[in-house]
Amino acid sequence: MKNELHTTATSSTEEALHGLISRLQAYHYSHAQQAGDSKDLLAVGVKDKFAQVLDSLLANPISAMHNAKKGLDASLSHFVENVISAYLNTKKDLVAKAVLVDSSPNVLYYIIALKNDSLANRIAVNDFFDFYDDSGLSDDYPVYFQYIAERHFQSINYIKEVA
């Protein structure tokens, strides 16, 4: 039985690895084609977007790295936002309403109204942090939940409703 589980885990890992390598291959093939097209255009004096990005990287590498970091931060923050939204929607039996409010960059601040505001229900919703704190993302992308009565939502300016 143990060998069967190990074989199943290994084969599913190999399948995932194969799929990832296939996607990376397609990604690099696409960029290699872009680089070739860009090189041909550059030969006749035309800089396409690909060449412009590389030109800006060579002209100011620190700025390019900073812009790449900002883009990565935005992507990861958006990913975390989607994970939290999905999580809160699995807690619809407890959560009456949840909204994301404006906060510092890379900080996600949620205001939540519970259907029945009790310590047990708050603990159940806060179970998210058991997983999230173990992920390592919590250091760079902190998440906060604040609980209020649903009747107070009318006075809150929020970015979007998530649950």
Side-chain angles (χ1 to χ4, degrees), residues 37-49:
D37 295 344
S38 185
K39 181 181 173 187
D40 293 342
L41 288 171
L42 198 55
V44 293
V46 176
K47 282 187 186 176
D48 65 355
K49 186 173 180 154

Side-chain angles (χ1 to χ4, degrees), residues 97 111 113 147-158:
K97 187 172 185 176
I111 297 179
Y147 297 95
I148 66 168
E150 191 172 7
R151 68 180 178 274
H152 296 296
F153 269 92
Q154 64 190 4
S155 62
I156 295 175
N157 292 325
Y158 57 87

Side-chain angles (χ1 to χ4, degrees), residues 22-78:
S22 296
R23 285 191 284 279
L24 284 172
Q25 183 180 19
Y27 175 80
H28 287 295
Y29 179 75
S30 167
H31 279 76
Q33 282 183 314
Q34 266 186 311
D37 295 344
S38 185
K39 181 181 173 187
D40 293 342
L41 288 171
L42 198 55
V44 293
V46 176
K47 282 187 186 176
D48 65 355
K49 186 173 180 154
F50 190 82
Q52 290 172 0
V53 168
L54 289 176
D55 191 36
S56 70
L57 176 64
L58 292 172
N60 193 345
I62 292 175
S63 177
M65 285 189 289
H66 182 255
N67 288 338
K69 182 194 177 308
K70 288 191 317 190
L72 182 60
D73 281 341
S75 293
L76 282 171
S77 186
H78 185 68

